[in-house]
Amino acid sequence: ALLLEISQLNRKFETSNGNVQALEGINLNINAGEFITVIGPSGCGKSTLLKIIAGLDIQHSGSVKLENQQVAGPGIDKGFIFQEPRLFPWLTVEKNIAADLSLRNPQIRQKVDELIELVKLKGFEKSYPRELSGGMAQRVAIARALLRNPKVLLLDEPFGALDAFTRSHMQDVLLDIWQKNKTTMIFVTHDIDEAIYLANRVVVLKPRPGSIRRIFPIDLPYP
Ligand code: ADP
Ligand code: ADP
């Protein structure tokens, strides 16, 4: 079934160097249960596209519909994973996952325990973020994002800061989560191997000629 329908999406940034057309005329349909990776060089608009789907950027033109509803802002139906885990350092693993929900509620307790199992963190419920490796911390972030069963999980280079071994382990953990939970995944990366390994469909975002910002002015003063 069609989950996400993006049509004629444009996003332009006005900067002190002039306008940057980050996205132009993007059309993309994604079915429920797909694992999509979005790949392209730095600056081609991958993060911008993901933020728009997340409802974190509403300054665009065109249409973005999730289950036939126009995306108007962030919400619990869209889970988001950043490159850094962004955990609360003063909360244990289980409290980071439960976030604003109480672990005294038996349903929440059960859900959090299932997620801890799913992201392979059993035994670390009471640990604090500083006691975790980078991969473990990112698994806490994934569990937290899954707490309210989002329709889609949006991941912005989630393993970009990890070493190669941890990264490859995390890819398999994520595939395992996808197979068990059937959550639709949209995963942004600039790593071609990662994109091909993870996805059932790879979306290539091409940079637009005008989208690469010039670092130096064209008319260099002649010495
Ligand atoms: P990617 O994630 O593929 O590296 P981005 O989506 O971050 O690309 O950026 C796409 C283009 O939009 C780039 O040229 C970037 O400089 C520009 N851009 C992104 N965010 C902003 C912003 N807040 N203000 C101005 N320009 C931006
Ligand atoms: P990942 O690949 O998920 O980042 P690591 O390779 O860093 O995990 O660690 C593998 C295992 O070692 C973890 O699942 C955990 O059992 C244990 N471990 C790693 N770091 C710590 C730590 N700081 N404290 C306790 N156990 C740890």
Side-chain angles (χ1 to χ4, degrees):
L2 185 60
L3 179 77
L4 188 75
E5 197 178 1
I6 299 172
S7 49
Q8 283 307 313
L9 178 63
N10 298 292
R11 176 62 162 111
K12 186 172 71 183
F13 292 102
E14 281 160 24
T15 75
S16 48
N17 287 350
N19 289 342
V20 176
Q21 189 76 43
L23 296 169
E24 187 174 61
I26 303 288
N27 297 301
L28 178 64
N29 286 349
I30 295 175
N31 287 326
E34 280 201 275
F35 197 134
I36 299 282
T37 52
V38 180
I39 195 168
S42 184
C44 72
K46 302 183 295 296
S47 282
T48 303
L49 176 64
L50 211 60
K51 282 184 194 142
I52 291 172
I53 297 170
L56 296 170
D57 178 335
I58 51 170
Q59 304 280 98
H60 57 269
S61 72
S63 158
V64 180
K65 287 182 185 168
L66 185 65
E67 278 187 347
N68 243 342
Q69 296 264 62
Q70 203 70 38
V71 170
I76 58 168
D77 52 348
K78 305 176 284 287
F80 203 97
I81 309 283
F82 299 90
Q83 186 168 339
E84 342 74 61
R86 302 194 182 189
L87 304 178
F88 297 112
W90 58 88
L91 294 181
T92 59
V93 163
E94 60 184 19
K95 286 190 174 163
N96 263 289
I97 296 173
D100 56 321
L101 302 179
S102 171
L103 286 163
R104 281 189 287 273
N105 175 327
Q107 272 168 305
I108 305 301
R109 177 79 255 175
Q110 194 193 338
K111 180 71 185 171
V112 168
D113 287 341
E114 281 170 18
L115 287 168
I116 285 172
E117 180 97 51
L118 185 70
V119 299
K120 301 182 164 50
L121 281 173
K122 244 181 147 22
F124 293 92
E125 294 82 351
K126 312 278 189 218
S127 299
Y128 285 88
R130 64 173 178 277
E131 302 171 313
L132 306 176
S133 69
M136 294 162 84
Q138 198 57 304
R139 290 188 331 248
V140 176
I142 292 171
R144 178 177 60 186
L146 290 171
L147 182 70
R148 295 174 210 242
N149 304 313
K151 296 187 177 104
V152 61
L153 198 59
L154 304 162
L155 305 106
D156 194 358
E157 303 221 14
F159 309 148
L162 303 175
D163 65 85
F165 290 105
T166 304
R167 173 185 266 237
S168 122
H169 170 59
M170 290 292 291
Q171 290 168 352
D172 289 328
V173 171
L174 189 65
L175 282 176
D176 182 58
I177 292 171
W178 178 57
Q179 273 145 18
K180 287 182 177 145
N181 257 28
K182 318 270 183 241
T183 313
T184 308
M185 304 277 184
I186 307 179
F187 185 112
V188 160
T189 178
H190 57 243
D191 184 318
I192 295 176
D193 291 335
E194 181 168 66
I196 289 169
Y197 182 67
L198 289 174
N200 77 298
R201 189 151 63 101
V202 179
V203 170
V204 181
L205 213 51
K206 296 255 172 132
R208 293 174 14 81
S211 70
I212 296 165
R213 277 210 256 166
R214 291 190 203 100
I215 313 261
F216 301 107
I218 292 290
D219 301 315
L220 285 172
Y222 205 74

